[in-house]
Amino acid sequence: MSTPVYKHYDQASLNHQYNNRELVPNYEEYFELWARLNKETKSNYASINDIPYGPGNNEKLDFYPAAGIGVATMIFIHGGYWQMMARSDFAFIAQAFVPHHIHTVIIGYPLATTVSMDVLIQTVRRALTWIHHNIREYGGDPTRLYLSGHSAGGHLASLMMTDCYAPDDIQLKGVVALSGLYDLIPIQRSHVNEPIGMDEATAIRCSSVPFLPKDVPLILAVGGAESEEYHAQTLTLADRWRDLPKLTTMVLPEVNHFSILSELLQVNSTLYQHIHKMIS
């Protein structure tokens, strides 16, 4: 009988819970869809790319302006288990917001294969601080900043509203965390950690669950077709932060770890409607 390494999971079972490419056999179709949408976005949407917000590797962001001055800004942090993907792979996120007079900023960050998780987190804090200080020059309102993230990006977005990690003097207007990872202990014990090399102390220190949130509206969403562990991640944070005055937890039926991003673009989706209600 295999020895459990986390909860009731042995090593193979835990790895499977966090292997989204195994869990979604047609995952390549979503990458192909994103590539088509990115090409469409780059053809039809104005952008200012490769804006540096810090001196480090990949400390850059892409800005997609909306019509108007002093409008809200949605900042997006991409996923990829902190070790893959890039901001350019998610240009299509602008399609969810720019047509609705919401600037979109997609931030890049150094991957955890090149820096520690602590450094990565501080890089994201630096990005938010830069945006807060400079967004007015791009037609945005620094008092109307929203933050969203998917998967590892959901983890980073949630951290940015905690009493420990929230950037100084910035009051986010709302946070959206999609299929996020808020307790890094199971990640540290799974195959995901092999290229990252977190020890247990780092996993605890860099998790969202141990910390309390600032009073910021929060949408936590997970796909109904995602693994038990992804549901547990969302439910654990929702329970820990249950005293937040404006907390919305959503399980999206038949949605998987990749298709949840498509929900952002569907005007009739529950996720889309909740996000735009938050911003309006």
Side-chain angles (χ1 to χ4, degrees), residues 72-83:
T73 299
M74 175 60 80
I75 305 161
F76 180 78
I77 309 174
H78 71 80
Y81 275 144
W82 309 275
Q83 59 192 270

Side-chain angles (χ1 to χ4, degrees), residues 128-204:
L128 295 190
T129 299
W130 188 95
I131 293 166
H132 181 256
H133 288 163
N134 292 277
I135 195 64
R136 199 181 299 277
E137 297 178 20
Y138 295 85
D141 182 347
T143 69
R144 299 182 67 201
L145 297 180
Y146 295 82
L147 180 61
S148 59
H150 172 238
S151 196
H155 158 253
L156 294 166
S158 67
L159 274 184
M160 293 301 110
M161 60 178 285
T162 63
D163 51 9
C164 180
Y165 288 106
D168 297 335
D169 303 322
I170 299 176
Q171 180 63 35
L172 294 169
K173 294 290 287 182
V175 173
V176 180
L178 308 176
S179 304
L181 302 157
Y182 314 110
D183 178 359
L184 300 191
I185 289 296
I187 302 301
Q188 189 263 334
R189 297 181 185 177
S190 78
H191 71 292
V192 175
N193 191 44
E194 291 173 8
I196 301 174
M198 285 188 294
D199 58 21
E200 188 165 307
T202 300
I204 294 170

